[in-house]
Each structure stands twice: as structure tokens, then as C-alpha cells.
Amino acid sequence: TGDVAAFDFAGNQVWSRYLGPLDNSYGHASSLVQHQNRLLVQLDQGTGKDGKSKLLALDALTGQTAWESPARPVPNSWSTPIVIHAANKDQIITCGNPWVIAYDAANGTELWRAKVLYGEVTPSPVFANGLVYTVMDGEKLSAIKPEGSGDVTKTQVAWSAEDGLPDITSPVCDGQRIFLITTSGLLTCYNAPDGKKVWEKELELGFHSSPSIAGERLYLWGDKGMGLVLAAAGEFKELARSDLGEPILSSPAFADGRIYIRGKKNLFCLGNKGK
């Protein structure tokens, strides 16, 4: 709907704003990101040529606009931005067709951009090992050095790869290896520093939930509720399975030794029952 709101922990509404109406073919799906005292909203919509897409930084206490980026040259997208610290700046990394664009988190000034995306961009970027990793089915998995200015497509893309590209799920990286899972269940492992493909495995499950890494383990949840725990390693090794018994399309959250995951009907907490 284009509504954004803040609530205190007692459930009282503190402020709300209407940012719509949104010109987005599937509806807005980019998640909110908080950085310091600001709330970041990647508001991509329209065609990319009509000036509708923008990145907003709202004051988290009041909802007022702290800064607004110039019109983003991308159409509607569904990727969530991330905030990284690189080249002595806090950078906001955004993905949309065809650009990965980095903004200065302090004021929204564009820092650099790379033309490495295509189509209806949904996967979010990740940052590890000093590199920004972006991916989209029909284009490439790209590793970008977060430095330079202007169009850095020809100067700062460290490597790219073309196998096992997801159209919805985001990649995950531990600094040594990067893992991709497609909606049809192809799991691919790349060497993060140089992009060499290490292994791939057909899991015979459908996926919309993004993979996660905790410790030395890789966690995956299939569309029908089957959870897989794998070794985050240079070879495929399944450690455990857990069937939650209902559809899972969301990605899990990890906190205090527990895993939280939203199913179609229930919110699950996995972990020790004691303190």
C-alpha cells in the first residue's frame, strides 16, 4: 500500500507515513533496513525511465525524510538493500535492473554503479571478503570491489559466473565460499575469492527461502517445509533434516542460539527449550 509505520514495544503507533501509490507489478517486497538512527526504504517502481524509483532515508524517531536520492534509473524491483563499510564510508548497496548502485549512507550521494543485472531483480546483495556479491537468473553472479566512482563495470568487477543462478533467493557467503539455491533446487557452491565453481547438487526440493549460514553450517528450507542442515564446506555433506509439516516461503532469522522461521500457519522457534 505504500504505508510505513513505527511502533513502540507496547504496540503503540509512534508515527506513520504514506509513500504510495506504488507502481509495482507484483507489489512492494523490499524489506526495511535500519542504519544508525535512520530507516532505509528502497522504493523501486515504474519503468526506470519515469523517475519514480528512489531510495529514502527516514528519521527513525519521527518518520521525516532525512534525505532522498535522485531518481534511480531502474524499474520496479524486489531486492532489499544492505549497508556495508568499505572505502572509508558506510555504503548502501542497492540492486535493480540493470544497475548495482552504491550510495553514501550519510547523505544519499551516489558513489558508484555497475551494470551487472537483468530482468525482474529479486535477490538481495551480500558482502563478505571485501567484495559485494550480486546475482540474477539470466545474467551473472558478480563479485564487485566496492570502490571507485561512476560506472565501475569495467574496472571493479573482480569475477563473474553463470551457473546455478537463482531468480528469487539471495546468495549467502562466509568469506570462503558462496552458496546459491535455485527455486528448482539446484545448490551451487563457488569459491568466494576467485569465483571457481567448487560443487553443485540437485536437492529435488523447491525453494523460495534464502539459504543461511550459522557457524559452519548451511541451513535451507524447502517450499513444503523440509529443512536441511549441511556443512558449509568444499564438498556436499548433509548433516540433518527437519520437516516442519507446512509450506515455508520465508527466510529464517537467528538469535541467541535459536532459529525463527515463519510458516504458512505458524511461527516456529527451533533450539533448546531451556534458557
Side-chain angles (χ1 to χ4, degrees):
T1 61
D3 292 300
V4 59
F7 297 81
D8 65 22
F9 287 106
N12 302 306
Q13 182 174 299
V14 179
W15 57 261
S16 65
R17 283 188 61 178
Y18 177 56
L19 304 177
L22 302 182
D23 182 9
N24 190 310
S25 54
Y26 300 120
H28 184 75
S30 177
S31 298
L32 302 174
V33 175
Q34 190 166 351
H35 175 62
Q36 296 178 351
N37 63 340
R38 291 174 178 172
L39 188 70
L40 305 176
V41 186
Q42 184 173 326
L43 205 65
D44 288 348
Q45 54 183 318
T47 65
K49 298 179 180 179
D50 51 17
K52 292 183 178 181
S53 294
K54 56 189 174 183
L55 178 67
L56 286 171
L58 308 182
D59 185 299
L61 295 177
T62 67
Q64 297 300 307
T65 300
W67 55 256
E68 178 180 319
S69 74
R72 286 168 46 76
V74 300
N76 44 198
S77 74
W78 302 270
S79 174
T80 296
I82 61 173
V83 181
I84 70 171
H85 186 79
N88 298 316
K89 291 181 183 294
D90 286 343
Q91 303 185 25
I92 304 169
I93 309 299
T94 64
C95 292
N97 181 15
W99 297 104
V100 177
I101 303 178
Y103 298 89
D104 189 328
N107 53 29
T109 300
E110 182 177 320
L111 299 174
W112 55 264
R113 63 170 68 183
K115 194 175 186 179
V116 294
L117 294 172
Y118 173 79
E120 297 181 331
V121 177
T122 300
S124 300
V126 294
F127 178 65
N129 199 38
L131 295 170
V132 172
Y133 299 94
T134 65
V135 66
M136 185 61 206
D137 183 35
E139 187 53 42
K140 295 177 181 179
L141 167 64
S142 299
I144 308 166
K145 300 176 184 178
E147 52 195 51
S149 60
D151 187 345
V152 301
T153 309
K154 296 182 179 180
T155 60
Q156 303 300 335
V157 178
W159 57 260
S160 59
E162 299 182 356
D163 293 340
L165 307 183
D167 61 339
I168 292 177
T169 63
S170 301
V172 67
C173 181
D174 62 3
Q176 300 180 60
R177 287 166 286 268
I178 185 167
F179 298 91
L180 309 177
I181 185 73
T182 67
T183 50
S184 62
L186 176 62
L187 177 63
T188 307
C189 173
Y190 284 95
N191 190 39
D194 59 16
K196 178 183 178 181
K197 185 164 73 171
V198 181
W199 54 265
E200 64 180 18
K201 177 72 173 180
E202 287 280 3
L203 297 179
E204 300 180 353
L205 296 170
F207 292 87
H208 284 75
S209 173
S210 295
S212 303
I213 291 177
E216 297 180 351
R217 296 182 176 185
L218 177 69
Y219 295 82
L220 300 163
W221 262 275
D223 291 347
K224 295 183 179 180
M226 178 63 71
L228 281 72
V229 183
L230 311 176
E235 60 182 0
F236 177 82
K237 183 179 181 181
E238 183 175 324
L239 303 176
R241 290 195 175 207
S242 177
D243 190 353
L244 296 181
E246 66 181 72
I248 302 290
L249 302 180
S250 64
S251 301
F254 295 77
D256 298 328
R258 292 183 172 186
I259 307 171
Y260 299 86
I261 188 162
R262 176 172 54 83
K264 184 176 182 179
K265 296 181 179 180
N266 296 286
L267 175 66
F268 295 92
C269 174
L270 308 181
N272 294 329
K273 292 183 177 181
K275 291 184 179 179

